[in-house]
Amino acid sequence: DTGVSQDPRHKITKRGQNVTFRCDPISEHNRLYWYRQTLGQGPEFLTYFQNEAQLEKSRLLSDRFSAERPKGSFSTLEIQRTEQGDSAMYLCASSTGTSSYETQYFGPGTRLLVL
Amino acid sequence: DQQVKQNSPSLSVQEGRISILNCDYTNSMFDYFLWYKKYPAEGPTFLISISSIKDKNEDGRFTVFLNKSAKHLSLHIVPSQPGDSAVYFCAASGGNLGSNYKLTFGKGTLLTVNP
């Protein structure tokens, strides 16, 4: 299967701890996106990369959040000093990056619970 | 503000009948619209899309209609099957310069298809 993969699928942590999530996009997809989904809401955009360049960040992405895509392949999303409000499903998506009308393909998500 | 609205939180239909899911948007700069299906604890799965230059797109049992003047789109599923039971999200992209690629989602509609 060559879809988007995310690791871990579930993470339980204590408030104040740091967590890091990984996303592996579909091979040769140049654009990679991070979204967050909370209960009863649709996914909300956090940030996106064109190859290794981070081109846009939502105001939802506080200073405690950082994302990287060092070689334009996989990406990591780190949350420092986690808070209970960070509990959510974190979704990664990728697209080809060759046109304006693009379909984004999503991974299975990482469900984070902050106690 | 909610730029993409799905006003029906839930919809129940009988197997074999038509399911119609509705979506309204407020940002006239949106030019690409997508429908995703989501099962619990999984990422969204792409179903069908439509660009603003079209008013209809069909793929098997799924048809999406776009009414630009009313800023409204709908997803028709015919015939509905029990396996179609899931949350359906409407999403849109385009908008302000530099934000062409991020998706803005509605809150979703839970479709239940009864045997």
Side-chain angles (χ1 to χ4, degrees), chain A residues 9 31 33 35 37 40-43 45 48 56 91 101-104 106-108, chain B residues 31-32 34 36 38 41-44 46 51 89 98-99 101-103 105-107:
Chain A
R9 294 291 308 274
R31 291 189 186 131
Y33 313 79
Y35 292 83
Q37 184 178 18
Q41 303 295 318
F45 172 79
Y48 98 92
E56 186 176 354
L91 294 161
Y101 299 137
E102 290 199 338
T103 297
Q104 294 180 25
F106 284 82
Chain B
D31 59 5
Y32 189 52
L34 308 90
Y36 287 86
K38 188 177 184 301
E42 295 184 11
F46 170 71
S51 69
F89 289 99
S99 301
Y101 309 122
K102 71 177 184 182
L103 294 178
F105 283 83
K107 292 187 176 183

Side-chain angles (χ1 to χ4, degrees), chain A residues 8-52:
Chain A
R9 294 291 308 274
H10 304 274
K11 179 72 176 179
I12 300 174
T13 191
K14 294 182 179 179
R15 188 177 55 186
Q17 297 294 303
N18 299 343
V19 295
T20 300
F21 309 141
R22 176 178 170 126
C23 170
D24 287 89
I26 293 171
S27 178
E28 299 182 355
H29 274 193
N30 294 324
R31 291 189 186 131
L32 185 148
Y33 313 79
W34 285 98
Y35 292 83
R36 181 175 71 182
Q37 184 178 18
T38 53
L39 196 62
Q41 303 295 318
E44 294 175 290
F45 172 79
L46 292 177
T47 188
Y48 98 92
F49 294 83
Q50 174 84 38
N51 299 312
E52 66 275 11

Side-chain angles (χ1 to χ4, degrees), chain B residues 17-31:
Chain B
R17 306 296 290 268
I18 184 172
S19 295
I20 300 176
L21 296 102
N22 294 303
C23 177
D24 297 291
Y25 61 96
T26 58
N27 189 337
S28 58
M29 296 299 288
F30 286 146
D31 59 5

